[in-house]
Amino acid sequence: MTFWQGRRVLLTGHTGFKGAWLALWLAHEGARVVGFSAPPPSAPSLYEDARVRDVLHDEVLGDVRSADDVARAVAGAEVVLHLAAQAIVRASLVDPVATWETNVVGTANVLHALTDATRAVVVVTSDKCYRDIESGRPMREEDPLGGKDPYSASKAAQELVAAAHRQTVLAGRGVALATARAGNVIGGGDWAADRLVPDLMRAALAGEPLVLRNPDAVRPWQHVLNPLSGYLTLAERLAGADGAAYAEAWNFGPAAGDAQPVSWVVERIRERWPGEPPAVEIAADPDAGKEATLLRLDSTKAAERLGWTPGWDLAQGLDATVEWYSGPAGARERTLGQVRAFVQGSAA
């Protein structure tokens, strides 16, 4: 991880769940992290609880939909990790326009603002960017893009924006741009609404039942540190002398056996929860049919060309998640402790 020492990194979306984990990890490795984001999307938030602002070199609070706000943050960044997004499927059904503006226009603003200082860019999209995700086979990077709900379609559009920018505006400028596809991450400090693990943790801590809308939906679950390690590995390759060879799309998903239904994940967490586990109720979903029920990723390319594989399997990720939410230590200490354990385990 010596690559990151003293490196000026722009991280968009640093107030979100994944962004806060990544900000703490990068700062721990010695990077000079500039965070750009709107205020935290939830209360409580990992950003606030772990005092992420204190580890940043600088912070620009703004709206990714504003080209002026974005330009203030991008200046001078050597590496750009673009995570800022509207990341909730059900929220995209309520306000699709805001989802399109944030995910598509926001990405275009970041890419348009890149300066000559930038060498590597990772645009994080989603595993839901594929068109035929319910085909029954794992999705590969060359599969067609699509999406039948506004969130998924916006992520496919992000991919198109990035590819077009790479082939035109960035051509010949020495900037290597790649996209990273992952999703359904779990881990401590996620308090977003309409996500399985945060909803279950809230129910457990409040002593209330969890209502499951779609218990049979299959997702490629993985601990948040798995895809974040992929983003960092990819950024390092992009910043190298042969970075252009890696300027394409990449899947960062779990092992095949870790694609499990919602009900399976819930039961494993309930088994690991210290004390009385939360009750579970099944309820009809009025939005059934608007969100995919089956989704798997094929990450063979990342394994073969980047040497990346998931550092933790799903059982380890669930254990770490329960430990985080039920542990006594402070949020930053819990988070960095798991980062260190993950890095040490991956290097073993």
Side-chain angles (χ1 to χ4, degrees):
M1 301 297 288
T2 56
F3 169 85
W4 297 100
Q5 293 180 7
R7 187 83 55 175
R8 186 176 175 87
V9 180
L10 171 65
L11 172 60
T12 74
H14 71 287
T15 63
F17 164 56
K18 289 170 71 176
W21 272 89
L22 190 52
L24 291 171
W25 190 352
L26 284 166
H28 179 67
E29 301 299 338
R32 301 170 67 215
V33 183
V34 175
F36 172 81
S37 185
S42 67
S45 71
L46 180 60
Y47 169 82
E48 295 287 358
D49 292 345
R51 309 182 313 281
V52 171
R53 174 65 185 89
D54 294 348
V55 307
L56 301 177
H57 175 72
D58 197 5
E59 180 180 58
V60 179
L61 294 178
D63 191 334
V64 74
R65 295 172 294 182
S66 166
D68 291 339
D69 287 355
V70 171
R72 289 190 293 119
V74 170
E78 300 171 67
V79 177
V80 174
L81 300 168
H82 177 45
L83 277 65
Q86 194 299 98
I88 307 298
V89 174
R90 291 173 69 86
S92 78
L93 301 175
V94 175
D95 193 348
V97 173
T99 299
W100 284 97
E101 290 176 340
T102 301
N103 294 349
V104 183
V105 175
T107 297
N109 284 337
V110 171
L111 299 182
H112 181 71
L114 297 176
T115 69
D116 291 339
T118 306
R119 299 271 64 82
V121 182
V122 176
V123 173
V124 174
T125 64
S126 172
D127 53 7
K128 296 176 182 63
C129 69
Y130 293 106
R131 187 180 69 195
D132 301 318
I133 56 179
E134 298 190 77
S135 65
R137 64 171 179 79
M139 294 290 98
R140 297 185 293 269
E141 288 87 348
E142 65 269 20
D143 285 328
L145 301 174
K148 63 181 181 180
D149 61 83
Y151 170 78
S152 303
S154 76
K155 289 299 181 176
Q158 267 190 288
E159 291 280 348
L160 296 176
V161 168
H165 210 86
R166 178 172 54 232
Q167 295 164 18
T168 55
V169 179
L170 297 183
R173 285 180 53 183
V175 181
L177 164 65
T179 57
R181 303 166 180 176
N184 294 100
V185 295
I186 59 174
D190 188 1
W191 296 106
D194 291 323
R195 279 188 186 153
L196 178 63
V197 172
D199 286 348
L200 182 57
M201 293 301 102
R202 276 187 288 267
L205 295 171
E208 299 174 348
L210 170 70
V211 178
L212 291 184
R213 298 185 308 269
N214 197 353
D216 297 324
V218 176
R219 294 288 183 267
W221 309 98
Q222 59 179 328
H223 193 273
V224 63
L225 290 174
N226 282 342
L228 295 187
S229 69
Y231 305 163
L232 296 180
T233 300
L234 177 57
E236 290 183 38
R237 297 296 182 90
L238 291 168
D242 57 345
Y246 301 94
E248 51 194 62
W250 299 85
N251 284 343
F252 295 105
D258 285 343
Q260 295 286 351
V262 166
S263 58
W264 188 97
V265 173
V266 169
E267 284 308 308
R268 294 312 182 275
I269 293 178
R270 292 179 77 244
E271 291 172 2
R272 289 162 170 79
W273 187 256
E276 185 68 22
V280 174
E281 298 177 358
I282 308 298
D285 184 1
D287 292 322
K290 297 179 182 179
E291 186 175 351
T293 58
L294 177 64
L295 177 55
R296 296 186 177 94
L297 282 183
D298 183 336
S299 302
T300 301
K301 185 173 80 167
E304 293 180 347
R305 293 181 53 195
L306 298 177
W308 176 89
T309 55
W312 283 348
D313 62 22
L314 183 54
Q316 291 172 294
L318 291 172
D319 286 346
T321 300
V322 171
E323 177 185 304
W324 195 100
Y325 281 103
S326 60
R332 186 191 296 182
E333 291 72 20
R334 274 177 280 168
T335 303
L336 288 177
Q338 292 191 354
V339 167
R340 287 189 289 268
F342 179 89
V343 171
Q344 292 167 2
S346 300

